[in-house]
Amino acid sequence: MLRTTIFRSRILGRAAMALPLLVGLAIAVSAQAVAPSTYTVKPGDTLWGIARVHLGNPFRWQELYRLNSEVVSDPSRIATGTVLRLAPVATPAPSAESRAPVVTQPEAPVPAPAPPRGIVVTAEPDPVPVVSREQGEGDPATALFRRGRVASAQNAFRAYRESRFHPLRAGEFFSSGFLTEGENLPFGTLLGPVTPEQIARAGGRAAVQQFTRVALAPPVGASYAAGDTLLVVDRRDAPVGFGQVLTPTGLVQVIRQDENQAVGDVIAVYGPIREGQSLLPAPKFSDPGPVEYQPVGDGVEGRVLVEREARELRLPQQVLFLDVGSRDGVAVGDLFEARGSADEPMGTFQVVQVRERTSTVKVLSVVSPNLPAGTRVRQVAKLPG
């Protein structure tokens, strides 16, 4: 009986010794479970994807952008290595010593010396405040310089913090391209650079640069007028039933029409502009303005039809075409998610152009770079209106 009592006391003693270790281990595990306060951007990251993983909701990307507007100037392009804050920095409560008023003995003002004769003294537009040594470290002039520098930086970034994000820009709209869907479009022809204007055109296949003056041939039986904006495009066959793939290479603004040809200036370059490429009247762009996305619960579903450039892997900013269009309720600015066989998200797309049966999308984020033709997509957000 005595031996049994001693055995139980030994067990209790060991349990008592192990209890602090178990408590410490639990505290360490809970500390590791605390969500990180910052995130370092990796190649291929987007605010949409970071908000999904670390904030639990991809639609909180605008909150993430406003929180990091001092280091992220363009939400659609974040530099690799940028350190993002995932939550606002908590302001510590003031201590009892800092709350207590500091009483300082005012110094007697020193009269300013009289200016020499012949010098005109003007009042300072912004008087320099007096900074005591308690308000900054070291010399008061150093503290004043430091405070002024911080204030200037805050004012410089105010435009980014207070401005709202534009979900679609004109350059993205004009440079994306579209499928003709078999429509008979009024194609003209780029004849080449005019150097000088007295010469009809210069031959050669060299790429045309921005601000170059070029000769243009309108469609048969038609003409261009001064001020017209034309889209320069490359053409190739699309999947059967969808006409051709048009890839924009630039914009030309017509200056004048001379008999059977016109002259214009290249005002934008998206790719190599060369003699013989086709011309189309540029589509009209309507800026949606600084608006926020609205989630869609039961959105339109479709599939990836074809890519604009033949590449095996998908990366942000690439352009794809979907087999859903305006007749299905798709509009410019809509957001789509690509879905895998197990319905897991594979990427996020933004609609930049819409036609009746197809739409052009820009890749915003990629979870899996393998997004072949036939990948399922679903509409997840729309712009208001």
Side-chain angles (χ1 to χ4, degrees):
M1 196 66 185
L2 177 61
R3 189 173 297 176
T4 303
T5 303
I6 293 174
F7 177 73
R8 290 179 178 175
S9 64
R10 288 178 181 175
I11 294 177
L12 294 176
R14 292 176 182 175
M17 293 175 62
L19 182 59
L21 297 177
L22 294 176
V23 173
L25 180 61
I27 294 174
V29 171
S30 62
Q32 292 178 357
V34 175
S37 59
T38 61
Y39 176 78
T40 302
V41 177
K42 298 179 178 59
D45 278 344
T46 62
L47 293 181
W48 173 275
I50 296 171
R52 176 201 297 276
V53 174
H54 294 281
L55 303 184
N57 185 352
F59 294 102
R60 294 181 63 185
W61 69 268
Q62 295 187 9
E63 174 186 337
L64 195 61
Y65 165 58
R66 287 191 289 267
L67 189 62
N68 295 276
S69 57
E70 286 135 355
V71 295
V72 178
S73 58
D74 186 349
S76 63
R77 297 177 178 86
I78 51 177
T80 301
T82 303
V83 179
L84 303 179
R85 293 202 308 268
L86 301 178
V89 178
T91 304
S95 61
E97 291 79 2
S98 62
R99 289 195 298 266
V102 178
V103 179
T104 58
Q105 186 68 23
E107 299 180 359
V110 179
R117 294 185 178 181
I119 297 179
V120 179
V121 179
T122 58
E124 292 287 342
D126 294 319
V128 179
V130 178
V131 181
S132 66
R133 292 183 182 271
E134 289 78 12
Q135 291 175 319
E137 297 177 1
D139 185 69
T142 304
L144 178 61
F145 171 75
R146 185 185 301 109
R147 285 170 174 255
R149 180 176 58 187
V150 173
S152 299
Q154 291 175 351
N155 291 334
F157 287 108
R158 180 180 302 171
Y160 295 107
R161 291 197 306 269
E162 297 179 358
S163 63
R164 298 176 64 187
F165 174 59
H166 283 246
L168 186 63
R169 296 173 173 83
E172 297 170 332
F173 173 80
F174 289 117
S175 64
S176 60
F178 56 90
L179 303 183
T180 62
E181 299 183 0
E183 184 180 355
N184 187 18
L185 300 176
F187 289 111
T189 305
L190 178 72
L191 300 179
V194 177
T195 52
E197 293 185 31
Q198 290 78 8
I199 302 176
R201 63 186 178 91
R205 295 287 295 173
V208 176
Q209 305 299 320
Q210 192 171 5
F211 308 120
T212 300
R213 189 150 292 182
V214 293
L216 317 165
V220 177
S223 62
Y224 296 133
D228 288 350
T229 301
L230 306 176
L231 188 67
V232 188
V233 296
D234 267 333
R235 301 158 61 182
R236 67 179 175 87
D237 290 337
V240 176
F242 292 94
Q244 293 181 316
V245 177
L246 301 188
T247 303
T249 59
L251 288 174
V252 173
Q253 190 169 50
V254 178
I255 298 175
R256 66 174 185 270
Q257 171 81 36
D258 294 336
E259 297 181 355
N260 295 327
Q261 73 175 29
V263 176
D265 288 334
V266 177
I267 60 175
V269 176
Y270 307 130
I273 301 177
R274 294 190 173 90
E275 174 186 349
Q277 290 179 336
S278 298
L279 302 171
L280 273 177
K284 184 179 179 180
F285 172 68
S286 298
D287 187 354
V291 295
E292 297 184 0
Y293 288 106
Q294 298 177 348
V296 174
D298 187 16
V300 177
E301 294 189 1
R303 294 186 181 274
V304 174
L305 185 62
V306 67
E307 69 278 354
R308 193 181 65 181
E309 293 91 7
R311 297 178 180 176
E312 292 184 1
L313 301 180
R314 304 290 173 253
L315 297 173
Q317 305 304 312
Q318 288 184 355
V319 174
L320 307 173
F321 302 104
L322 307 182
D323 65 353
V324 288
S326 58
R327 70 178 185 182
D328 305 297
V330 179
V332 171
D334 289 359
L335 291 184
F336 278 79
E337 276 190 350
R339 294 283 174 171
S341 57
D343 204 39
E344 75 279 8
M346 301 176 65
T348 308
F349 310 145
Q350 180 191 32
V351 177
V352 290
Q353 281 208 40
V354 175
R355 294 179 69 79
E356 183 180 2
R357 295 185 291 130
T358 60
S359 55
T360 307
V361 297
K362 179 184 67 174
V363 179
L364 295 182
S365 65
V366 174
V367 177
S368 171
N370 184 21
L371 297 171
T375 301
R376 295 187 303 116
V377 296
R378 185 175 64 193
Q379 182 189 51
V380 295
K382 293 183 70 68
L383 296 179

